[in-house]
């Protein structure tokens, strides 16, 4: 079984995003970039499927600038067999990204496609669902458990009230939640080996996708800051403040 | 302008977040708002939807194939019923998040996720980077596919006179996926996302048993209990209690963070709370930078004391 995994290069999750003074966006100059945490979980799951003998090949794909090769190499150091970069310097919205991924899916015909549930920069939570719709595949979002057997994927999903289990006919799309697994670290020998793995570069034109968007970011601003609070000395003062000053209890 | 709002429900009750999506529809300023209720034996939900302020029409698709409202066929159904709509809205719950992008892609339109305010019919604000930036986004799509953050819009009220309820017998089968089962967490406490008071515990709670301290306090205050990712990952509580960028977004009157350091990802889920209280023994914890009232103390002493003095 062939598994396709998508990865996105994003600001490192520990870095606090700073808005540019001209309100054109978030300042990414000299900011640490990493693989989106949910994508790491997707890569890890694919590697585990290979270790269990279920997956035979793992192809990792990213849509983004040339620098995204770094994240593809990381995924290959973690166990992906080869990589594909659909190179574009534009800040693409989720729909054209899903269309580009559909182009890759058509070329590769994977049985299972794993994506993170959302990227921590745009926080859209759209791409997997859009790709599922475009490819005409069933979907299971927010997965915390995946079992593959007899051409089907049994997926436990994190939903608002608890957990839900669905069964999908393969090929299918699954997006990962945090609880799915704990990603491993890449070892130095594996990082060295990953440098020799195949990395194909494609362009949106080759895939015949129009990357235009009907969305325009008018401005990006910092959120309203909260007024500095006070320290209370003890529980009595806290209760007094909540009752008489804030009047919330 | 004609807006279609997709109702979330469990075949018996309309989910409260849908009332907030209706409030957003009202702010967009539609001439006509219809609500789609797709389910199995969902007549009572349709009745509730018809009583919501601002609703002109309720369309009910009642059929066994919609029982679990899986996105594969609900999305196709919405696409067929959205003809002529200028906007399609759903609340940004896990259900709405799963469904709407599928609809948007089928309609070949971009989606605006989790809006927190409406500037005009095509311009919206939404948080990005875990709430560390707010983007103003303008959509020129012919049909605007939008998910709505419930805590940012006050739910619409209910009214006496009912909107028209219309049955639609369109059946869209789902062949790709199948519902197997679900394990829902049951609790007598208020729902986390709509509670007026939320008490959350983090890694500092040290064990699941110690959460009893928070449950006792929550019961006295009529509060819901939440948790940080660290507390969920450590197995102290179930994942549906997680507050944060990837969990639930809450904005209660009072949020009490107990033994929570205040990582970026947690703040993304609660920093719109009206009053924030932090109880933490580490006085350097980032949570104190957003707390209105901070108490530097051992939670195992402070929480029982808080409880006993109420």
């Amino acid at each position: 079984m062939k598994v396709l995994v998508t990865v996105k290069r994003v600001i490192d999750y520990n870095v606090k995003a700073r808005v540019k003074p001209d309100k054109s966006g978030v300042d990414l100059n000299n900011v640490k970039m990493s693989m989106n945490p949910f994508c790491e979980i997707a890569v890890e799951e694919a590697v585990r499927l290979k270790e269990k003998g279920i997956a035979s090949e793992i192809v990792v794909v990213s849509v983004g600038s040339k620098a995204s090769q770094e994240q593809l190499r990381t995924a290959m150091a973690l166990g992906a067999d080869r990589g594909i970069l659909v190179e574009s310097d534009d800040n693409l919205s989720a729909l054209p990204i899903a269309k580009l991924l559909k182009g890759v899916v058509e070329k590769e015909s994977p049985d299972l496609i794993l994506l993170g549930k959302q990227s921590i920069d745009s926080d859209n939570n759209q791409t997997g669902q859009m790709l599922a719709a475009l490819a005409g595949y069933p979907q299971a979002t927010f997965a915390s458990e995946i079992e593959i057997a007899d051409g089907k994927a049994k997926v436990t999903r994190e939903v608002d009230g608890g957990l839900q289990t669905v069964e999908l006919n393969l090929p299918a799309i699954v997006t990962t939640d945090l609880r799915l697994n704990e990603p491993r670290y890449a070892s130095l020998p594996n990082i060295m080996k990953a440098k020799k793995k195949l990395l194909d570069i494609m362009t949106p034109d080759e895939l015949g996708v129009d990357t235009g968007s009907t969305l325009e970011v008018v401005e990006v601003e910092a959120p309203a800051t909260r007024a500095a609070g006070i320290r209370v000395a003890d529980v009595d003062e806290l209760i007094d403040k909540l009752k008489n000053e804030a009047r919330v209890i | 302008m004609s807006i279609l709002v997709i109702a979330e429900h469990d075949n018996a009750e309309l989910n409260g977040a849908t009332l907030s999506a209706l409030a957003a529809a009202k702010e967009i300023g539609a001439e006509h708002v219809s609500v789609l209720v797709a389910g199995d034996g969902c007549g009572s939900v349709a009745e509730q939807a018809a009583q919501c302020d601002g609703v002109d029409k309720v369309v009910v698709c009642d059929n066994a194939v919609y029982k679990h409202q899986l996105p594969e066929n609900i999305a196709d159904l919405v696409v067929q019923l959205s003809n002529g709509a200028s906007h399609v809205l759903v609340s940004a719950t896990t259900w709405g998040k799963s469904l709407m992008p599928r609809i948007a892609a089928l309609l070949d339109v971009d989606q605006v996720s989790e809006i927190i305010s409406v500037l005009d019919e095509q311009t919206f604000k939404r948080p990005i980077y875990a709430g560390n930036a707010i983007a103003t986004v303008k959509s020129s799509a012919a049909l605007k596919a939008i998910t709505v953050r419930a805590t940012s819009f006050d739910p619409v009220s209910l009214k006496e006179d009912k909107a028209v309820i219309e049955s639609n017998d369109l059946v869209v089968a789902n062949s790709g996926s199948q519902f197997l089962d679900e394990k829902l967490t049951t609790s007598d406490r208020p729902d986390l996302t709509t509670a007026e008071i939320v008490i959350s515990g983090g890694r500092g709670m040290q064990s699941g048993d110690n959460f009893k301290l928070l449950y006792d306090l929550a019961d006295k205050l009529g509060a819901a209990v939440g948790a940080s990712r660290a507390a969920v990952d450590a197995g102290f509580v179930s994942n549906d209690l997680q507050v944060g960028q990837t969990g639930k977004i809450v904005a209660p009157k009072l949020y009490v963070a107990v033994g929570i350091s205040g990582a970026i990802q947690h703040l993304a889920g609660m920093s719109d709370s009206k009053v924030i209280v932090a109880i933490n023994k580490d006085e350097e914890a980032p949570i104190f930078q957003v707390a209105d009232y901070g108490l530097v103390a051992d939670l195992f002493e402070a929480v029982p004391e808080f409880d006993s003095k109420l």
Side-chain angles (χ1 to χ4, degrees), chain B residues 202-283:
Chain B
R203 198 193 304 273
M205 296 306 296
Q206 293 179 8
S207 78
D209 290 342
N210 291 335
F211 261 74
K212 187 174 182 305
L213 295 173
L214 302 190
Y215 295 140
D216 290 346
L217 182 58
D219 290 342
K220 205 168 250 182
L221 289 167
V225 172
S228 69
R229 181 188 168 192
V232 175
D233 282 352
F236 300 170
V237 291
S238 65
N239 63 281
D240 51 306
L241 296 191
Q242 186 180 328
V243 171
Q245 181 184 20
T246 66
K248 294 199 169 75
I249 309 291
V250 301
K253 263 190 346 188
L254 172 62
Y255 188 87
V256 185
V258 182
I260 291 177
S261 64
I264 296 170
Q265 292 77 15
H266 186 73
L267 299 181
M270 45 64 80
S271 56
D272 285 333
S273 304
K274 199 158 159 266
V275 174
I276 298 174
V277 168
I279 300 175
N280 203 305
K281 65 181 176 191
D282 174 13
E283 59 180 295

Side-chain angles (χ1 to χ4, degrees), chain B residues 3-50:
Chain B
I3 300 184
L4 176 65
V5 176
I6 310 163
E8 177 169 1
H9 62 89
D10 59 1
N11 291 314
E13 292 221 29
L14 186 64
N15 186 304
T18 302
L19 303 183
S20 296
L22 283 166
K26 219 172 162 182
E27 283 194 34
I28 292 168
E31 287 127 28
H32 185 87
V33 175
S34 50
V35 177
L36 169 65
V37 178
D40 181 24
C42 55
S44 61
V45 181
E47 295 287 330
Q48 292 163 46

Side-chain angles (χ1 to χ4, degrees), chain A residues 63-100:
Chain A
V63 177
S65 68
K66 195 170 183 174
S68 302
Q69 288 191 24
E70 209 181 298
Q71 279 63 47
L72 288 169
R73 290 288 173 205
T74 304
M76 289 190 267
L78 292 167
D81 295 296
R82 60 189 170 88
I84 299 170
L85 174 63
V86 182
E87 197 174 317
S88 170
D89 288 325
D90 300 329
N91 194 8
L92 302 178
S93 58
L95 184 62
I97 290 173
K99 288 178 181 174
L100 292 168

Side-chain angles (χ1 to χ4, degrees), chain A residues 5-247:
Chain A
V5 189
T6 64
V7 301
K8 186 178 182 186
R9 175 183 171 87
V10 297
I11 190 168
D12 188 84
Y13 74 97
N14 275 316
V15 177
K16 192 175 155 114
R18 305 229 173 261
V19 173
K20 288 186 199 167
D22 67 358
K23 295 190 173 181
S24 63
V26 164
D27 194 356
L28 295 177
N29 281 324
N30 302 315
V31 169
K32 186 181 177 199
M33 303 293 280
S34 302
M35 190 192 298
N36 181 46
F38 292 97
C39 303
E40 277 186 63
I41 292 168
V43 171
E44 174 68 28
E45 196 64 18
V47 175
R48 290 185 188 192
L49 286 171
K50 195 172 177 191
E51 286 168 349
K52 283 184 205 156
I54 296 167
S56 50
E57 188 187 22
I58 302 168
V59 182
V60 64
V61 53
S62 188
V63 177
S65 68
K66 195 170 183 174
S68 302
Q69 288 191 24
E70 209 181 298
Q71 279 63 47
L72 288 169
R73 290 288 173 205
T74 304
M76 289 190 267
L78 292 167
D81 295 296
R82 60 189 170 88
I84 299 170
L85 174 63
V86 182
E87 197 174 317
S88 170
D89 288 325
D90 300 329
N91 194 8
L92 302 178
S93 58
L95 184 62
I97 290 173
K99 288 178 181 174
L100 292 168
L101 292 174
K102 188 203 169 208
V104 175
V105 166
E106 278 172 354
K107 281 190 193 305
E108 296 286 338
S109 314
D111 303 284
L112 178 68
I113 302 150
L114 293 169
L115 303 87
K117 76 163 177 180
Q118 75 190 63
S119 61
I120 59 162
D121 52 357
S122 58
D123 280 337
N124 273 324
N125 199 329
Q126 296 176 3
T127 308
Q129 295 89 311
M130 286 182 160
L131 175 58
L134 297 173
Y137 292 167
Q139 67 182 52
T141 50
F142 323 142
S144 59
E145 210 182 320
I146 304 173
E147 283 173 52
I148 308 281
D150 309 324
K152 290 185 180 206
K154 192 172 143 191
V155 183
T156 302
R157 308 177 51 229
E158 299 200 357
V159 295
D160 288 330
L163 299 171
Q164 181 193 66
T165 308
V166 292
E167 192 172 67
L168 312 178
N169 298 340
L170 298 180
I173 308 272
V174 178
T175 75
T176 62
D177 216 319
L178 285 171
R179 244 73 59 183
L180 183 58
N181 60 47
E182 186 128 350
R184 69 193 67 190
Y185 292 98
S187 66
L188 188 60
N190 285 342
I191 292 171
M192 300 310 289
K193 269 186 238 164
K195 290 184 178 170
K196 296 198 181 75
K197 291 184 179 175
L198 189 68
L199 199 167
D200 279 324
I201 313 277
M202 289 183 187
T203 64
D205 282 347
E206 278 169 46
L207 292 165
V209 172
D210 172 11
T211 57
S213 174
T214 49
L215 292 183
E216 179 202 343
V217 177
V218 181
E219 64 170 31
V220 174
E221 59 197 329
T225 47
R226 291 185 73 94
I230 58 159
R231 297 281 169 104
V232 293
D234 51 31
V235 172
D236 290 321
E237 191 188 347
L238 177 62
I239 292 176
D240 175 64
K241 293 282 185 196
L242 291 178
K243 276 191 174 154
N244 302 316
E245 195 176 271
R247 297 173 193 277

